[in-house]
Amino acid sequence: MILMNDFKAEPEDLRIAELAAVDRVLHSGWYVLGQEVQAFETEWAARCNISHAIGVGNGMDAIEIGLRALDIGVGDEVITTPMTAFATVLAVIRSGAIPVLADIDTDTALLDLQSVERCITSKTKAVLLVHLYGQVCNMESWLDLCETHGLALLEDCAQSHLAAWNNKVAGGFGRFGAYSFYPTKNLGAIGDAGAMVSNDIELIQRAAILRNYGQKERYYHSELGLNSRLDEIQAALLRVRLDRLEKFTQRRRQIAKIYFEKIANPKIQLLAQPLQTENHVYHLFVIRCAERERLTQHLRSSGIESFIHYPVPVHRQEPCAHLRFGPNGLPAAEQHATTCLSIPCHPQMSDADIAAVIEALNAFK
Ligand SMILES: *Cc1c(COP(=O)(O)O)cnc(C)c1O
């Protein structure tokens, strides 16, 4: 079976380096928020070319902590997309703020700027962009829009590790970027992990307090925080895996390039090709098909796994049915949800795997 992710196929030298990292932590006798976390924070910030990173429990907490550090909460509106992991919107709700959903751009499945503009009210405090499937683009327009309306630009970078627009890495455009290192992400831990990045030292300092019960110094609490600490084993593993990220990303891009060249079937549509080489890291390679269910079966019978990201847009999820959205509805998001399909695109795929996926897709009648 050609899987969507194949961790067991990762190189043996990576496994050996990971075991050494775990051993190092066990010998250190220090397991939560220590030297490994600090070293990873420094290394991750450097790779992103952003002044600071702060390790937290997961990507969802990184968003919540970022919002709370900015004092965005009860009564404030945050505009974001219905075509995302549920965690994006759940984090906004947990911060106390009100998510407002704008529609997506059909070509890319990213937020549509005009639709976002139509959602702005006097209560709007921020636009939370999601660099969906690994793509960061048109950041000047987003910065312009936010500046014009006095809004904070925020970035959900859970799918866009090291994606860069005009040589600037995701997370460096907005007030903060929220990264997830869930195992399936382009940079994944061996469990849950996340980080918030920002060029604003005050925001980072506030986040450092919030992630640890709101504790300013040991046993003295300046506010009510969360328990969202990164542990030393995950940080040590992330440092090892960070060494391979560039290489793995190049492989993802190579696979995508071949897909764009070779997938040719009138029943299958590809999303728009990215505008720059660096601005997409292909966390997911997504196609569209009007007969998705039948295509999924066809792929499965050819030994190919596929997933749907995402089958139900956020406003159709039961606890979110009351959320406000733009005056024109969310037709593009709904259409995308019924046709999108993610096909295998991960660094462990062999050339034969790539060819097999293309052959199966092109043979679909
Ligand atoms: C994975 C993901 C998250 C949540 O990250 P966790 O680490 O699972 O909390 C948030 N947003 C997007 C777009 C994601 O893909």
Side-chain angles (χ1 to χ4, degrees):
M1 191 84 176
I2 301 173
L3 302 171
M4 287 295 289
N5 290 292
D6 198 350
F7 304 118
K8 290 202 276 186
E10 285 183 345
E12 183 62 15
D13 66 324
L14 174 54
R15 204 179 98 85
I16 291 166
E18 287 174 338
L19 287 171
V22 172
D23 196 51
R24 188 171 71 226
V25 173
L26 293 183
H27 275 96
S28 78
W30 188 278
Y31 302 140
V32 175
L33 293 185
Q35 280 178 13
E36 297 285 346
V37 169
Q38 254 176 33
F40 173 68
E41 288 170 343
T42 304
E43 288 161 15
W44 182 240
R47 291 301 289 275
C48 296
N49 205 12
I50 293 171
S51 56
H52 305 280
I54 185 121
V56 297
N58 54 69
M60 185 173 114
D61 285 355
I63 302 172
E64 179 184 341
I65 288 171
L67 287 165
R68 289 181 58 178
L70 280 168
D71 285 317
I72 295 174
V74 177
D76 299 330
E77 293 181 350
V78 175
I79 302 173
T80 192
T81 171
M83 184 45 61
T84 183
F86 194 67
T88 308
V89 173
L90 185 50
V92 175
I93 294 171
R94 287 194 57 94
S95 77
I98 304 157
V100 175
L101 303 171
D103 207 3
I104 59 169
D105 163 55
T106 303
D107 292 339
T108 58
L110 300 173
L111 262 177
D112 178 77
L113 193 115
Q114 276 80 40
S115 180
V116 167
E117 206 159 16
R118 284 192 288 269
C119 292
I120 297 173
T121 70
S122 58
K123 291 184 186 168
T124 309
K125 288 281 153 39
V127 174
L128 174 53
L129 286 185
V130 177
H131 304 310
L132 194 71
Y133 305 147
Q135 179 165 215
V136 54
C137 77
N138 296 331
M139 295 310 291
E140 300 81 10
S141 328
W142 289 108
L143 285 164
D144 276 357
L145 178 87
C146 287
E147 199 180 347
T148 307
H149 296 274
L151 308 177
L153 183 66
L154 315 175
E155 298 174 74
D156 179 341
C157 307
Q159 303 189 355
S160 62
H161 305 75
L162 301 189
W165 176 256
N166 291 338
N167 297 315
K168 193 166 172 179
V169 174
F173 296 91
R175 296 294 306 278
F176 70 80
Y179 279 93
S180 165
F181 307 114
Y182 184 76
T184 59
K185 310 293 185 185
N186 286 25
L187 176 61
I190 316 294
D192 278 307
M196 194 192 105
V197 296
S198 179
N199 288 310
D200 181 343
I201 178 68
E202 281 175 27
L203 209 57
I204 290 289
Q205 284 166 346
R206 181 98 187 265
I209 293 170
L210 282 167
R211 75 174 167 182
N212 196 13
Y213 314 138
Q215 174 174 283
K216 199 160 190 175
E217 27 176 321
R218 188 182 275 191
Y219 308 134
Y220 288 84
H221 299 264
S222 54
E223 59 183 310
L224 302 175
L226 297 72
N227 176 350
S228 186
R229 299 176 296 227
L230 184 55
D231 69 71
E232 290 282 282
I233 288 184
Q234 296 307 335
L237 289 164
L238 282 166
R239 294 179 69 195
V240 173
R241 298 180 68 80
L242 180 52
D243 280 344
R244 270 75 170 181
L245 180 58
E246 192 66 52
K247 202 171 142 207
F248 282 1
T249 302
Q250 289 308 337
R251 182 63 174 160
R252 288 176 187 271
R253 287 200 178 112
Q254 202 175 22
I255 297 166
K257 183 164 179 282
I258 302 171
Y259 281 164
F260 273 114
E261 283 165 9
K262 302 252 173 87
I263 296 172
N265 184 333
K267 285 187 177 286
I268 292 168
Q269 288 79 46
L270 305 184
L271 299 188
Q273 285 218 46
L275 299 169
Q276 301 176 357
T277 28
E278 305 285 306
N279 78 313
H280 206 318
V281 292
Y282 295 99
H283 172 60
L284 294 166
F285 193 96
V286 175
I287 61 174
R288 289 196 184 111
C289 179
E291 299 164 72
R292 179 173 66 191
E293 184 51 39
R294 215 162 59 71
L295 178 60
T296 305
Q297 300 292 346
H298 166 78
L299 288 173
R300 190 176 304 135
S301 67
S302 314
I304 298 162
E305 190 177 41
S306 60
F307 291 157
I308 301 170
H309 301 94
Y310 295 87
V312 183
V314 171
H315 62 290
R316 297 283 181 200
Q317 300 285 355
E318 208 178 307
C320 291
H322 65 285
L323 292 186
R324 189 166 76 74
F325 44 79
N328 300 354
L330 303 166
E334 302 213 334
Q335 178 64 18
H336 184 71
T338 60
T339 57
C340 66
L341 188 68
S342 310
I343 59 173
C345 179
H346 66 77
Q348 270 38 265
M349 286 177 84
S350 67
D351 292 348
D353 292 339
I354 301 166
V357 172
I358 294 164
E359 194 184 310
L361 288 171
N362 291 349
F364 179 64
K365 291 206 173 55

